Amino acid sequence: MKYPLVSFILYLLVSLPLSAQDLAETLRSNVAAVEATLADGSPQYGFAFITGVRNGKLYLATARHVVEDGGYGNSEPEVRVQFYQELDWQGARVIRSNRDFDIAVLEVALPPGLQWEPVCLGLAPGRGQTVSFVGRNGQWYVPVGPALGAINAVRDDRIYADINSIQPGTSGAPLLNEDGII
């Protein structure tokens, strides 16, 4: 090999793990903006992330409070999603939700040509890990620098993180560490 040092440096760069921020940038295509119209007519906004695909349907996880009205209405909420770099919104339906964990699962038709990363789990979240997210105020926002967060505790099946860049419209956005979606 003519340039072994250059090859070695390139190998190191490719094999180094991504930071939480870099990984968030690569996982934008796994995230969808969510818009729901609740039973009382009020709009809710947030984000969801792809959890799987089967038989031409995508399944997304989001915060329950984004797509349901807390049990005060009797009608199904109208839910739409928009994927990163897609122009059109498409209808989605809530197929399951859990009030105790504030989580809902949405089902939506798989958009033709959607490119997403199926292997993206960030297992073993731990105290002190840097965390990031994708999605805020209808944009596929990714925090940088001091806007990144950190996990301060993992207990009782919950992850406690300090992130000062979360604002309204962030609900349902995936929490990421350097390994993927937690």
Side-chain angles (χ1 to χ4, degrees), residues 1 3-16:
M1 187 174 285
Y3 302 102
L5 182 59
V6 171
S7 296
F8 179 70
I9 291 170
L10 288 174
Y11 167 78
L12 285 177
L13 289 174
V14 169
S15 62
L16 289 174

Side-chain angles (χ1 to χ4, degrees), residues 36-42 67-69 71-78:
T37 304
L38 304 180
D40 66 359
S42 65
V67 295
E68 293 187 2
D69 65 1
Y72 301 113
N74 295 321
S75 63
E76 292 276 323
E78 182 182 321

Side-chain angles (χ1 to χ4, degrees), residues 50-71:
I50 298 171
T51 60
V53 63
R54 183 176 19 171
N55 299 328
K57 301 283 186 188
L58 276 177
Y59 296 90
L60 298 98
T62 189
R64 180 186 169 279
H65 69 266
V66 171
V67 295
E68 293 187 2
D69 65 1

Side-chain angles (χ1 to χ4, degrees), residues 83-147:
F83 292 95
Y84 183 61
Q85 295 186 331
E86 295 282 323
L87 298 176
D88 296 325
W89 288 79
Q90 62 178 315
R93 78 183 177 103
V94 178
I95 60 169
R96 228 178 221 132
S97 68
N98 183 296
R99 184 181 307 235
D100 295 335
F101 292 105
D102 191 27
I103 190 166
V105 178
L106 307 178
E107 180 185 72
V108 63
L110 176 64
L114 179 69
Q115 300 290 314
W116 62 284
E117 179 57 50
V119 181
C120 60
L121 284 180
L123 302 175
R127 187 167 193 241
Q129 283 183 343
T130 299
V131 289
S132 184
F133 61 91
V134 177
R136 183 176 78 183
N137 297 325
Q139 303 296 314
W140 282 260
Y141 169 83
V142 172
V144 296

